[in-house]
Amino acid sequence: MELIDCRYDFWFKLDQLVAASNLKIERPKGSSHPRYPSLVYPLDYGYLQDTRSGDGNDIDVWIGSLSSQTVTAVICAVDLEKRDTEIKLLLGCTSEESRIILDIHNTGSQSAILLVRK
């Protein structure tokens, strides 16, 4: 069986999904999580309207400081308390911002990995 490198197509299709979607900021940078007030959002956090993620809700996004809103990374997360998995798209995030976001998703009952666009 021949292996095909699909990385370019993966990132390109994610960029197309973002471009074709309405981005809603649900929790602006500096705001607190409604159920966990000690969690202060280090970046804007929202979702792509009218999309679907593994949890049945819209696809979550973190928005970084880079001017381009292309997908720079993806976080794949599992939450044992919620008993679910999902992805988070990182748009225009620097390496440092990506690391901060990854740390947020590696707390408590959650575990996550970061896939970085090359």
Side-chain angles (χ1 to χ4, degrees):
M1 176 163 84
E2 180 181 346
L3 293 176
I4 300 170
D5 187 352
C6 299
R7 287 177 292 183
Y8 173 79
D9 197 43
F10 175 77
W11 296 110
F12 179 72
K13 285 184 176 163
L14 283 176
D15 287 338
Q16 285 182 311
L17 179 64
V18 170
S21 301
N22 191 12
L23 175 61
K24 296 287 187 178
I25 304 299
E26 186 174 38
R27 298 185 184 130
K29 178 180 179 177
S31 65
S32 296
H33 190 284
R35 287 184 20 214
Y36 308 103
S38 63
L39 171 59
V40 177
Y41 286 83
L43 301 170
D44 288 339
Y45 181 76
Y47 59 92
L48 299 177
Q49 191 173 15
D50 298 324
T51 60
R52 290 292 164 257
S53 187
D55 63 359
N57 294 320
D58 296 304
I59 297 172
D60 296 328
V61 297
W62 288 94
I63 299 96
S65 61
L66 299 175
S67 60
S68 170
Q69 288 207 341
T70 59
V71 179
T72 52
V74 173
I75 288 182
C76 299
V78 59
D79 189 327
L80 294 178
E81 186 176 309
K82 290 182 183 178
R83 298 186 50 83
D84 76 2
T85 62
E86 63 179 304
I87 65 165
K88 315 279 184 180
L89 303 182
L90 282 60
L91 306 180
C93 291
T94 65
S95 295
E96 181 179 339
E97 290 168 337
S98 296
R99 177 58 54 193
I100 291 167
I101 296 164
L102 180 62
D103 289 345
I104 289 170
H105 292 287
N106 273 309
T107 59
S109 64
Q110 298 179 82
S111 186
I113 60 169
L114 180 69
L115 305 173
V116 178
R117 187 177 201 160
K118 297 277 183 184

